[in-house]
Amino acid sequence: MRRMEIPRSKEPMKLKAFGTIPEPPKGGVIVKTAFCGICHSDVHFFDDEFEVGGGIFLKTKDIIPNWEYPIVLGHEISGTVQAIAKDADNKENLKVGDRVIVYPWLGCSDCGYCNGEQANICCGTPSYIGCCGPIGGYSEYIEVAEPKYALKVPDNIPLDVAAMLPCSTLTGYNAVSKVKPTVERFMNAQGKATLLIIGAGALGLWCLQTARAVLPRGTRIIISDISQPKLDNALAHGADDTVLWDPSLSKEDVINKTKAKGSDGSVQAVIDFVNSTETSARAMGALSKGGTIAMVGLFGGSLEVSLPLFAFLHQQIQGVFVGSLEQLKELVHLASNTKLKPPEITHVKLEKVPEILTKLRRGKITGRTIVKF
């Protein structure tokens, strides 16, 4: 077995080889990895720091308490079932050889949220595959704690596309679910509504697809980015319009350009896949009365909000972290029964992971890059 691991904080990744394939954990499953997506959040985990605003940086361990080296990253995992523990509670009727994706957001398995199948908002000490220890998708084999976290993949979904569902696609799907009531309210009251998606990368493109599938028909969807080629790509994927957030423009000019693209001179909902000081301020500036912002990205910074205006304008801000196991099941069904156009996919070997993370950090990746085993 081979895996790409981080030995210690800020040390270069190393490719290590082991002589044996791991046995299933007690009650669990071993998945042979076919594909693993390289997610931008892996950049933050590799750098071992998160900017939380006011010039303050937190170590990953401050956010994920059970963070322990060596770390094997990679949480967008698809593959086939290699082995199942004899004592596994196999209600899903998994079989060796089944095509599966791995739900990596396991939580603590003990709090009320985890017991209610909402481990993504665990209030205990969460355990995330590919985010806190030696079990991650940049490895040829993965230990999965319980069979329910290895979801069967329908035959009409390619495994490289399926690998993106547990994180990038699920996150966008969850974000859409947070703004959906607001969009429906405006559509019912005024017959129109505009959703602004900030960021035309892979998450933004996936979000565009799921938003088109689940939001009311006629919802206007526009995408902003600092890259014109990425915006052109967004139009090719079905965006109604785009807004170039030219870095040379002032904050006010960017906000006015964005509002002009919306319904009645504003946008009613925003999903921010960047979530920086700059993007969040622009989102608030373009948001209509009664509007909602779903904050997703981890780029860092802080947002200054006028509290009286926030109350007077009936606005909402919702934080989004991935999605629940039940939402992933819904998403698999949606992907199997709806023609979703995934972002462009590039396959690379495991050895290329450090190079791709460097390119992601510099914003040099278009679409999604996936490790093919």
Side-chain angles (χ1 to χ4, degrees):
M1 181 185 82
R2 298 184 311 147
R3 74 186 192 195
M4 182 70 73
E5 64 178 43
I6 307 170
R8 296 180 189 82
S9 177
K10 299 186 183 299
E11 285 193 4
M13 285 182 161
K14 291 184 178 179
L15 187 61
K16 293 193 69 174
F18 300 83
T20 59
I21 297 171
E23 294 292 322
K26 181 178 174 59
V29 176
I30 294 294
V31 172
K32 183 179 182 180
T33 312
F35 296 95
C36 182
I38 302 176
C39 182
H40 196 283
S41 59
D42 290 340
V43 174
H44 297 284
F45 293 132
F46 179 76
D47 291 343
D48 192 20
E49 63 182 22
F50 289 81
E51 183 190 352
V52 294
I56 299 171
F57 289 81
L58 295 182
K59 291 284 188 181
T60 310
K61 195 171 182 65
D62 297 324
I63 300 171
I64 304 177
N66 58 353
W67 178 265
E68 184 177 351
Y69 290 97
I71 299 292
V72 178
L73 298 177
H75 51 267
E76 294 188 336
I77 304 160
S78 68
T80 54
V81 176
Q82 173 77 15
I84 304 170
K86 292 180 180 180
D87 62 345
D89 183 11
N90 193 7
K91 295 176 183 176
E92 289 72 21
N93 195 29
L94 282 181
K95 299 180 180 64
V96 171
D98 279 348
R99 303 163 76 248
V100 295
I101 53 175
V102 175
Y103 181 78
W105 319 110
L106 306 188
C108 68
S109 300
D110 194 39
C111 70
Y113 285 112
C114 289
N115 292 333
E117 302 293 358
Q118 293 181 295
N120 59 303
I121 49 176
C122 170
C123 60
T125 302
S127 177
Y128 302 142
I129 291 176
C131 299
C132 60
I135 300 174
Y138 299 159
S139 175
E140 291 178 324
Y141 294 90
I142 302 293
E143 298 178 28
V144 181
E146 298 179 50
K148 70 178 181 178
Y149 296 126
L151 276 63
K152 293 181 183 180
V153 177
D155 290 339
N156 65 340
I157 304 179
L159 278 181
D160 57 349
V161 174
M164 295 182 280
L165 298 183
C167 180
S168 57
T169 322
L170 178 61
T171 300
Y173 180 72
N174 189 14
V176 170
S177 76
K178 301 304 183 189
V179 302
K180 184 179 179 182
T182 297
V183 172
E184 290 176 334
R185 173 161 44 82
F186 276 95
M187 290 294 287
N188 290 334
Q190 301 179 356
K192 53 187 173 181
T194 296
L195 166 65
L196 167 66
I197 298 173
I198 300 175
L203 270 75
L205 296 180
W206 264 126
C207 184
L208 168 63
Q209 298 295 307
T210 55
R212 189 67 76 197
V214 304
L215 292 181
R217 188 173 181 178
T219 302
R220 180 172 168 80
I221 303 176
I222 63 176
I223 297 186
S224 66
D225 203 284
I226 59 174
S227 165
Q228 187 60 53
K230 287 185 177 181
L231 292 178
D232 294 339
N233 194 32
L235 287 173
H237 278 75
D240 291 307
D241 207 342
T242 62
V243 191
L244 179 63
W245 281 7
D246 190 327
S248 67
L249 296 177
S250 68
K251 170 186 169 183
E252 290 73 21
D253 286 342
V254 169
I255 289 173
N256 289 334
K257 279 184 64 177
T258 305
K259 292 169 68 174
K261 301 274 187 172
S263 304
D264 295 330
S266 61
V267 298
Q268 286 66 51
V270 180
I271 298 175
D272 188 352
F273 286 107
V274 180
N275 203 25
S276 66
T277 299
E278 292 77 14
T279 60
S280 60
R282 293 167 181 177
M284 285 298 297
L287 193 67
S288 71
K289 184 176 183 177
T292 296
I293 297 176
M295 292 185 166
V296 183
L298 302 174
F299 272 68
S302 57
L303 171 65
E304 184 175 331
V305 176
S306 168
L307 298 179
L309 284 179
F310 187 70
F312 178 75
L313 294 175
H314 298 275
Q315 292 171 331
Q316 302 176 68
I317 297 176
Q318 173 73 56
V320 176
F321 177 69
V322 295
S324 69
L325 180 60
E326 188 60 37
Q327 285 179 313
L328 181 56
K329 293 176 183 178
E330 295 171 5
L331 188 54
V332 170
H333 180 78
L334 181 68
S336 180
N337 292 279
T338 306
K339 191 174 181 180
L340 302 180
K341 184 178 181 180
E344 291 77 7
I345 297 172
T346 302
H347 294 161
V348 296
K349 294 181 179 180
L350 181 60
E351 292 84 348
K352 290 285 187 179
V353 167
E355 176 185 331
I356 299 303
L357 289 177
T358 297
K359 290 182 177 180
L360 271 176
R361 186 185 291 106
R362 297 172 180 170
K364 300 297 183 182
I365 297 292
T366 299
R368 202 68 167 176
T369 302
I370 296 179
V371 176
K372 180 179 180 180
F373 287 84

